[in-house]
């Protein structure tokens, strides 16, 4: 059963209209942390998956909470990279529904350790327009917006429109010509700033990282699509945890990044 937030959230005053109701499951103290919104394509390149995860992880390790929309692709990778205890998932349905089904385990983990927010009552099922409502809330919560991959006619570009209206600074990953046409156009028009180095970028929005911060070797290992037995031998229970968190899937004995 969801609960309702009764106190105003200052960040949401940037929205066209402050939400009449806001429901949640999880830890409301995450709203008090510095926050960054990350959005992007559902079908992503390996390059985008790699750097979305690394970026979310680097920000989280500096005390920055990552906000996204719990969808497939960039959203799920951003939540996973940040860690379920330092991420806010904004959903387009009631918080009693874990949608999309492929991210059910990830969303449940965020409910238990992070925060899930919605403008919709329990039992409300997502519709086309509710995703637009969700996108505005995602953008409003973050101090900045990061778009790691987007095509011109995508929902992520709708999020960009919200960010521009709210006066939010927009950052994008640098992509090759003919890839991620939406973010490349933003760069061409001077509406976004490119990210070239994850660590130096992340340090601008949180505490400077010490030498103790390490890359997640498990993530890079899984890029090679190892067998389940190889993964289990090398990382043990980490394999099962990653599957539960929605970072990987195991199909026909092969471990794949989701």
């Amino acid at each position: 059963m969801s609960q309702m937030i009764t106190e105003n959230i200052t960040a949401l005053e940037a929205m066209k209209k402050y939400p009449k109701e806001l429901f949640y499951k999880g830890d409301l103290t995450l709203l008090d942390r510095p926050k960054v919104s990350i959005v992007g394509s559902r079908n992503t390149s390996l390059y985008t998956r790699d750097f979305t995860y690394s970026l979310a992880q680097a920000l989280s390790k500096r005390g920055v909470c990552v906000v996204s929309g719990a969808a497939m692709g960039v959203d799920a990778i951003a939540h996973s990279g940040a860690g379920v205890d330092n991420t806010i998932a904004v959903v387009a349905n009631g918080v009693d529904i874990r949608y999309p089904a492929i991210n059910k385990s990830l969303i449940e983990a965020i409910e238990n350790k992070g925060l899930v927010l919605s403008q919709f009552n329990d039992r409300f099922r997502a519709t086309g327009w509710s995703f637009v409502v969700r996108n505005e809330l995602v953008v409003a919560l973050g101090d900045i917006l990061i778009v790691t991959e987007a095509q011109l006619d995508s929902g992520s570009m709708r999020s960009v429109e919200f960010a521009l209206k709210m006066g939010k600074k927009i950052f994008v990953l640098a992509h090759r010509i003919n890839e991620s046409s939406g973010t490349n156009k933003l760069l061409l028009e001077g509406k976004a700033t490119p990210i070239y180095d994850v660590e130096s970028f992340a340090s601008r929005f949180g505490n400077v990282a010490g030498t103790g911060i390490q890359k997640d070797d498990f993530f890079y290992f899984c890029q090679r699509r190892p067998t389940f037995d190889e993964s289990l031998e090398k990382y043990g229970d980490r394999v099962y945890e990653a599957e539960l968190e929605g970072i990987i899937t195991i199909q026909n004995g092969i471990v794949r990044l989701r």
Side-chain angles (χ1 to χ4, degrees), residues 10 17 21 28 37 59 64 80 91 95 104-105 108 115 125 145 151 153 158-159 176 195 200 204 211 215 237 245:
T10 303
K17 186 176 181 180
E21 296 177 320
L28 287 179
S37 303
L59 287 164
V64 179
S80 298
V91 296
V95 297
K104 182 178 179 180
S105 296
E108 183 177 8
L115 179 62
R125 296 193 174 275
L145 175 66
Q151 301 307 318
D153 58 352
R158 178 64 170 146
S159 295
R176 293 182 295 189
I195 298 171
S200 62
R204 297 173 58 183
T211 55
K215 291 183 178 179
D237 288 345
E245 293 169 3

Side-chain angles (χ1 to χ4, degrees), residues 108-157:
E108 183 177 8
I110 296 171
E111 289 173 6
N112 293 328
K113 295 183 178 180
L115 179 62
V116 178
L117 293 177
S118 175
Q119 293 188 59
F120 306 102
N121 287 301
D122 286 354
R123 297 184 297 280
F124 179 89
R125 296 193 174 275
T127 64
W129 62 267
S130 70
F131 288 108
V132 177
V133 172
R134 184 272 312 271
N135 291 351
E136 184 182 15
L137 186 54
V138 168
V139 174
L141 284 169
D143 300 321
I144 61 169
L145 175 66
I146 301 172
V147 188
T148 56
E149 182 179 342
Q151 301 307 318
L152 281 173
D153 58 352
S154 64
S156 296
M157 294 304 289

Side-chain angles (χ1 to χ4, degrees), residues 39-127:
V39 302
S41 301
R42 285 176 170 78
N43 298 313
T44 64
S45 66
L46 182 59
Y47 164 85
T48 298
R49 295 168 74 132
D50 184 345
F51 282 100
T52 297
Y53 188 94
S54 298
L55 187 57
Q57 184 181 61
L59 287 164
S60 183
K61 286 181 176 179
R62 289 162 173 81
V64 179
C65 180
V66 171
V67 184
S68 198
M72 296 169 57
V74 163
D75 288 14
I77 295 165
H79 290 308
S80 298
V84 294
D85 60 346
N86 190 38
T87 194
I88 299 173
V90 182
V91 296
N93 41 263
V95 297
D96 60 325
I97 300 172
R98 295 177 184 132
Y99 176 85
I102 195 171
N103 289 341
K104 182 178 179 180
S105 296
L106 174 63
I107 295 168
E108 183 177 8
I110 296 171
E111 289 173 6
N112 293 328
K113 295 183 178 180
L115 179 62
V116 178
L117 293 177
S118 175
Q119 293 188 59
F120 306 102
N121 287 301
D122 286 354
R123 297 184 297 280
F124 179 89
R125 296 193 174 275
T127 64

Side-chain angles (χ1 to χ4, degrees), residues 231-258:
S231 304
L232 200 60
E233 181 179 358
K234 186 173 179 64
Y235 288 98
D237 288 345
R238 178 74 174 97
V239 179
Y240 298 111
E241 293 170 1
E243 184 180 25
L244 179 64
E245 293 169 3
I247 297 172
I248 63 169
T249 60
I250 301 170
Q251 300 174 353
N252 299 321
I254 300 297
V255 175
R256 303 171 186 267
L257 290 170
R258 178 168 286 177

Side-chain angles (χ1 to χ4, degrees), residues 201-245:
F201 173 82
S203 292
R204 297 173 58 183
F205 299 99
N207 300 319
V208 176
T211 55
I213 290 183
Q214 302 292 327
K215 291 183 178 179
D216 187 343
D217 291 334
F218 176 77
F219 179 80
Y220 294 102
F221 176 79
C222 291
Q223 286 183 352
R224 300 192 291 103
R225 296 188 175 184
T227 67
F228 174 74
D229 290 338
E230 288 173 340
S231 304
L232 200 60
E233 181 179 358
K234 186 173 179 64
Y235 288 98
D237 288 345
R238 178 74 174 97
V239 179
Y240 298 111
E241 293 170 1
E243 184 180 25
L244 179 64
E245 293 169 3

